[in-house]
Amino acid sequence: MHSVLNQKNGPSLSFWEQTSFLPSADVAIVGSGIVGLTAAIGLKTARPAWHITVLERGVLPSGASTKNAGFACFGSMTELMDDLQQSSTDEVFSLVEKRWRGLQRLRELVGDAAIDYHGWGGYELFPAQDETYRACLDALPDFNRQLSTITGLSDTFVVNDSGMIQGFGFQGVNGMIWNQAEGQIDTGKMMQALLKKARSLGIEIVTGLEVTHWEEESGNLNLAFSNGWRLKSERLLLATNGFTTRFFPELDIMPARNQVLVTEPIADLPFSACFHYDRGYYYFRRIGDRVLLGGGRHLASEAEQTAEFGTTPQIREALLQILNEMILPGREVQVASWWSGILGIGQRKRAIVQNKGGGVFLAARLGGMGVAIGSLVGEDAAELILQA
């Protein structure tokens, strides 16, 4: 099978490039993040003869998969309590279960060593033993009962004493709840492992090609790229998360920018786990001898509903204040780098996996939990395609 390619803006493809890199596909997948690669792996495993091409507009996966903080989590207590204000108990804990199963599936798929997984737990910090903290303490027995059938632990959430808070060296923290089922991964190693597995199966991964639109043509889809090239495919999966409304603007998916910093090396860091603060809007963790800190989009929620990468003075200042005054008070800290990632959020937190008809499918709206649910969403999308 050869693709029909139409070069308008760029150099013409050679015969070898057409036949070796961009032949017609049984399935073309737009997006080489967790969802796109997991879907590709699932499809190729089930249909080894299919030609599957993953298309990525960036040189690297350019959404959130290589830009997130690497938290292997399923929600802090205050995040889940906020969710319970909007959804039923069954719906909230059903989603928690999917996040938990997704984390286990990711670990099974590539192995703990490949993603540098550590189950060191995660702590939610409270600036005072206020009404929110007391509400968490009151809800603790019920939360642990609900979670026991999911995590297998009798006490998933545990209250920590002031001695441990002092040991971590935090300033202005008066309460702390430990989620002993939480872990952390190396996001870059995770993506390298998924890319390696996909390529080992014979999945074609092409970077630097942006799909702008497609047309139905003689029972196939004719995909158009921004450089004028075209590719034919029988089926198309959009694994584009926060960028999906470029193609389907009517969907309940909004891009949300999250800003992140990582410090220069710091001697004698007193903690290793993950941490959540202010209903999960801030989060930080240790990476080797550095601190990663991100969040703060709630400070300018409308402005941060953007698909544009970048950082802003307001959120940078807020993150630096937390870093210097709460996490590492009285210590000289230098920031090594800043970046941002684009999430896909909506009114509901459940991911969207749909057959849009005409051979087009989509898997999006990870709700900031891509590490947790990305593998299951990708596999669900693959199953939907196989059943169509």
Side-chain angles (χ1 to χ4, degrees):
M1 295 188 298
H2 295 167
S3 58
V4 178
L5 294 150
N6 179 18
Q7 298 86 28
K8 295 179 180 179
N9 305 321
S12 298
L13 289 171
S14 73
F15 173 80
W16 318 113
E17 290 167 331
Q18 292 181 36
T19 56
S20 297
F21 294 97
L22 287 171
S24 295
D26 292 287
V27 184
I29 298 174
V30 181
S32 67
I34 301 173
V35 175
L37 291 177
T38 305
I41 291 166
L43 288 167
K44 191 67 173 178
T45 302
R47 299 288 188 272
W50 277 10
H51 189 96
I52 298 170
T53 300
V54 178
L55 302 163
E56 172 58 52
R57 67 173 180 163
V59 176
L60 301 174
S62 55
S65 292
T66 55
K67 302 180 186 299
N68 66 65
F71 280 51
C73 63
F74 48 81
S76 65
M77 279 204 71
T78 54
E79 288 178 88
L80 297 179
M81 290 176 74
D82 276 357
D83 291 344
L84 287 168
Q85 299 298 314
Q86 309 295 327
S87 305
S88 69
T89 300
D90 287 346
E91 187 173 1
V92 170
F93 284 97
S94 174
L95 188 54
V96 169
E97 181 180 12
K98 185 157 189 174
R99 292 168 180 168
W100 175 256
R101 288 193 296 110
L103 289 169
Q104 309 320 306
R105 181 65 187 118
L106 175 64
R107 295 170 63 189
E108 292 168 2
L109 191 62
V110 292
D112 285 355
I115 60 177
D116 198 21
Y117 175 83
H118 296 283
W120 289 330
Y123 295 84
E124 181 160 17
L125 309 180
F126 298 86
Q129 296 190 12
D130 57 7
E131 185 176 334
T132 301
Y133 182 69
R134 288 192 294 271
C136 286
L137 297 184
D138 291 341
L140 201 67
D142 188 54
F143 269 59
N144 281 334
R145 180 181 60 80
Q146 295 276 1
L147 289 167
S148 63
T149 59
I150 298 172
T151 66
L153 300 170
S154 58
D155 294 307
T156 300
F157 290 114
V158 179
V159 179
N160 282 107
D161 59 28
S162 58
M164 183 168 285
I165 296 173
Q166 293 172 1
F168 287 154
F170 301 142
Q171 182 72 39
V173 175
N174 295 302
M176 194 162 64
I177 294 177
W178 180 42
N179 177 354
Q180 61 176 320
E182 187 169 330
Q184 55 188 271
I185 65 169
D186 184 309
T187 296
K189 289 181 179 179
M190 172 193 69
M191 291 307 301
Q192 286 182 325
L194 288 172
L195 286 165
K196 181 179 179 180
K197 187 173 186 68
R199 289 190 174 111
S200 73
L201 294 172
I203 295 166
E204 194 72 51
I205 301 168
V206 184
T207 61
L209 282 180
E210 181 178 10
V211 175
T212 58
H213 62 281
W214 59 86
E215 300 150 356
E216 291 190 51
E217 185 180 285
S218 304
N220 286 314
L221 296 166
N222 196 342
L223 279 63
F225 301 112
S226 59
N227 65 355
W229 298 350
R230 287 181 177 266
L231 167 70
K232 281 189 176 180
S233 179
E234 290 187 27
R235 306 162 189 85
L236 170 65
L237 170 63
L238 297 175
T240 43
N241 201 25
F243 303 99
T244 305
T245 51
R246 293 182 177 184
F247 304 108
F248 293 102
E250 75 280 4
L251 291 174
D252 174 28
I253 302 176
M254 293 178 292
R257 180 171 60 193
N258 249 18
Q259 301 179 37
V260 184
L261 68 83
V262 67
T263 70
E264 295 285 0
I266 301 168
D268 302 320
L269 283 174
F271 53 82
S272 296
C274 298
F275 297 86
H276 307 263
Y277 177 66
D278 194 1
R279 296 166 295 156
Y281 282 117
Y282 296 105
Y283 45 86
F284 64 96
R285 55 171 286 201
R286 176 174 174 170
I287 302 178
D289 53 359
R290 304 171 188 261
V291 173
L292 177 149
L293 167 64
R297 62 184 172 86
H298 64 303
L299 300 176
S301 55
E302 290 188 12
E304 294 304 291
Q305 288 180 11
T306 177
E308 299 297 322
F309 293 100
T311 62
T312 58
Q314 179 185 9
I315 293 177
R316 287 169 69 110
E317 289 172 10
L319 292 176
L320 287 173
Q321 183 176 4
I322 289 173
L323 178 67
N324 293 316
E325 296 181 8
M326 185 182 81
I327 302 173
L328 295 165
R331 301 191 64 174
E332 185 175 342
V333 183
Q334 299 295 323
V335 175
S337 62
W338 294 85
W339 70 88
S340 62
I342 308 300
L343 313 178
I345 63 174
Q347 296 300 314
R348 297 188 64 195
K349 290 197 173 182
R350 187 168 294 277
I352 299 175
V353 180
Q354 287 183 356
N355 181 345
K356 302 300 288 185
V360 179
F361 304 81
L362 67 88
R365 198 174 68 185
L366 281 294
M369 287 282 179
V371 170
I373 63 172
S375 57
L376 285 191
V377 171
E379 291 182 347
D380 287 347
E383 189 62 28
L384 190 64
I385 292 170
L386 292 168
Q387 293 176 356

